[in-house]
Amino acid sequence: MTRSLSRAVVAEFLGSLLLAALVIGSGIAAQRLSPTDTGLQLLENAGATGVGLYALILVFGPVSGAHFNPVLSFVDAALGGLSWRHFLVYVPVQVVGCVSGAVVANVLFDAAPVSIATTSRATWAHGISEVVATLGLLLVIFSLSRTGRAEKAAAAVGAYIAAAYWFTSSTSFANPAITVGRAFSDSFAGIAPSSVPSFVLAQVVAAVIVLPLLSFLYPHRSN
């Protein structure tokens, strides 16, 4: 699909900003509404993220593909769906958008615009969880795309991410840009900067794994 780069860049920035604001803002709200119940906080955060992501994909999908995620953009470019020129522009825009969204979320809840997260998540379990979460997300997206069911992606991605909050110990960041963004909010959804590299590495590993897997499972793309 041929896309206007300028419109796509604006869509990726706005979508990434709103995604980060959604994830972090709902985490802050959950923390304040249910201060003594971590399970309920996670349920509230996951539910808001799932339905919000569904809406964001519907809004920005026709303009940019609604990536909001560097590993998704990389896999799309590697499979020929996105030009490498677009990829090189998308990635920094996605990161800046997610950092901006973290600032917006903090301000919406009358917190300091920037507060560096202190929640350490750098364990083997978290790293493996991020490989699994990211691999699953990419399989959901590209299996639908390669079998002519792309119109179902918004619902499928929202549902998968909401579920992955629960079945992974990392709560399924599955996105290098949102991982960086969440380091700028010391809240329920935050991640300490020292944990960011291991999460990003795990997400990149999943992107590398998924390419031959997609070629094997779906060798012929449906229109």
Side-chain angles (χ1 to χ4, degrees):
M1 177 186 296
T2 301
R3 296 189 177 106
S4 163
L5 182 56
S6 60
R7 289 202 305 271
V9 164
V10 172
E12 283 298 298
F13 174 76
L14 290 175
S16 298
L17 184 154
L18 290 170
L19 175 62
L22 168 69
V23 171
I24 296 168
S26 64
I28 296 172
Q31 198 170 27
R32 295 185 181 183
L33 291 169
S34 310
T36 62
D37 192 332
T38 304
L40 185 55
Q41 291 173 12
L42 184 60
L43 179 62
E44 292 161 346
N45 193 200
T49 299
V51 297
L53 186 54
Y54 172 81
L56 291 178
I57 294 171
L58 290 180
V59 171
F60 296 110
V63 185
S64 69
H67 289 190
F68 322 140
N69 186 335
V71 293
L72 195 165
S73 297
F74 168 75
V75 173
D76 198 19
L79 294 174
L82 182 74
S83 74
W84 287 107
R85 174 170 172 258
H86 277 60
F87 167 76
L88 292 173
V89 178
Y90 271 29
V91 172
V93 168
Q94 292 160 350
V95 173
V96 172
C98 284
V99 172
S100 301
V103 173
V104 169
N106 292 334
V107 170
L108 289 177
F109 287 88
D110 198 27
V114 175
S115 58
I116 302 303
T118 56
T119 304
S120 176
R121 302 177 188 264
T123 68
W124 280 106
H126 285 105
I128 295 170
S129 289
E130 278 304 293
V131 173
V132 171
T134 308
L135 182 64
L137 174 64
L138 294 171
L139 282 172
V140 167
I141 293 168
F142 289 101
S143 65
L144 293 175
S145 173
R146 293 177 74 82
T147 55
R149 298 176 293 159
E151 75 283 353
K152 301 181 186 297
V157 169
Y160 174 80
I161 289 297
Y165 263 66
W166 287 90
F167 80 79
T168 64
S169 63
S170 65
T171 66
S172 183
F173 285 45
N175 179 339
I178 198 70
T179 302
V180 173
R182 287 166 74 160
F184 288 85
S185 180
D186 190 18
S187 61
F188 180 76
I191 178 173
S194 60
S195 300
V196 168
S198 62
F199 268 52
V200 172
L201 176 60
Q203 293 153 2
V204 171
V205 167
V208 172
I209 293 172
V210 84
L211 285 169
L213 191 56
L214 285 169
S215 295
F216 175 73
L217 292 174
Y218 308 101
H220 305 293
R221 182 176 183 130
S222 302
N223 294 321

